[in-house]
Amino acid sequence: MKVRFVADRLKIPYRWIDVSVLAVETRNPEFLAMNPAGQVPVVMLADGRPLAQSNAIMLHLAEGSALIPADAYERALMHQWLFWEQYSHETAIAVRRFQKTYLKMPESEIDPSLKLKGERALALMDRHLINRSHFVADHLTLADIALVAYTRWADEAGFDLKDWPGVHKWVTRVETELELEAST
Ligand SMILES: N[C@@H](CCC(=O)N[C@@H](CS)C(=O)NCC(=O)O)C(=O)O
């Protein structure tokens, strides 16, 4: 969805192809030729070159746009959040959501450390958002888009965003900016 949000925001035309992880379509030879890691998302650029990893794709699509701050320090801060999202956020909230919602695993079978890790991530975001409208600078950047993608579905991962009101408010703001249907 991060890739789609950026493409829609920047009015970049695309053809969307659903690939089912559950049906193991990510292991087809044609898919592996595009991304040997066997993961979505992957894009095929207009010239036929593939690119994987959601944040790498966003960075490529958004080059030269207002979604990437012009100021070098602000740009570095945006990267700081993108790296953090991959290591400390997605690995807890997205993984729990996948296990609960798609694999339908009972709570007792889910690694309990994922809950704690997700709560820590949401608490850190909540603290950061005190007196801030966005993660970096005072406008929408890729940091917001990367973080909102799974945060807006945190309830499906077993987190109630009402416990982190700053995050909840920010999700609503970013959803409005991206013209998304409200998730909460
Ligand atoms: N860090 C990667 C994570 C990609 C990822 O984990 N994709 C999952 C679905 S959300 C997937 O394709 N899993 C299939 C698999 O690993 O076999 C990114 O942000 O693009």
Side-chain angles (χ1 to χ4, degrees):
M1 297 315 296
K2 296 175 186 178
V3 173
R4 188 171 216 163
F5 295 159
V6 171
D8 287 347
R9 175 84 178 177
L10 300 177
K11 305 207 180 336
I12 299 170
Y14 57 85
R15 188 161 63 94
W16 181 270
I17 301 173
D18 275 319
V19 175
S20 169
V21 170
L22 291 178
V24 211
E25 290 171 359
T26 46
R27 292 296 178 275
N28 291 342
E30 309 81 58
F31 189 88
L32 290 172
M34 285 192 291
N35 182 12
Q39 290 182 325
V40 288
V42 60
V43 297
M44 192 62 96
L45 301 174
D47 62 9
R49 290 180 298 175
L51 184 63
Q53 287 292 332
S54 56
N55 289 352
I57 300 168
M58 288 200 309
L59 283 161
H60 185 68
L61 296 183
E63 229 178 60
S65 80
L67 293 176
I68 300 180
D71 176 78
Y73 179 68
E74 287 185 345
R75 200 161 57 247
L77 286 177
M78 179 196 75
H79 283 112
Q80 173 191 298
W81 285 108
L82 295 185
F83 285 112
W84 180 80
E85 180 264 344
Q86 287 286 289
Y87 190 75
S88 303
H89 182 286
E90 193 234 31
T91 46
I93 295 172
V95 170
R96 254 185 76 84
R97 176 172 177 258
F98 184 72
Q99 295 185 352
K100 273 179 86 72
T101 305
Y102 291 91
L103 300 183
K104 314 241 179 274
M105 282 167 64
E107 197 66 40
S108 58
E109 282 177 24
I110 298 177
D111 176 357
S113 72
L114 292 180
K115 187 86 201 273
L116 294 173
K117 191 175 178 183
E119 286 169 352
R120 271 202 304 272
L122 291 165
L124 188 147
M125 290 168 70
D126 206 56
R127 281 196 301 278
H128 182 74
L129 288 166
I130 291 175
N131 299 326
R132 280 192 180 89
S133 62
H134 296 83
F135 269 82
V136 179
D138 54 0
H139 59 86
L140 187 78
T141 70
L142 295 184
D144 300 291
I145 296 182
L147 285 165
V148 89
Y150 282 114
T151 305
R152 64 195 293 258
W153 300 121
D155 61 323
E156 292 185 0
F159 304 96
D160 185 350
L161 284 190
K162 293 195 177 55
D163 293 338
W164 297 280
V167 174
H168 191 231
K169 214 166 132 190
W170 162 84
V171 166
T172 305
R173 180 178 306 122
V174 175
E175 285 180 338
T176 305
E177 283 177 294
L178 293 175
E179 297 175 39
L180 307 175
E181 249 177 61
S183 58
T184 54

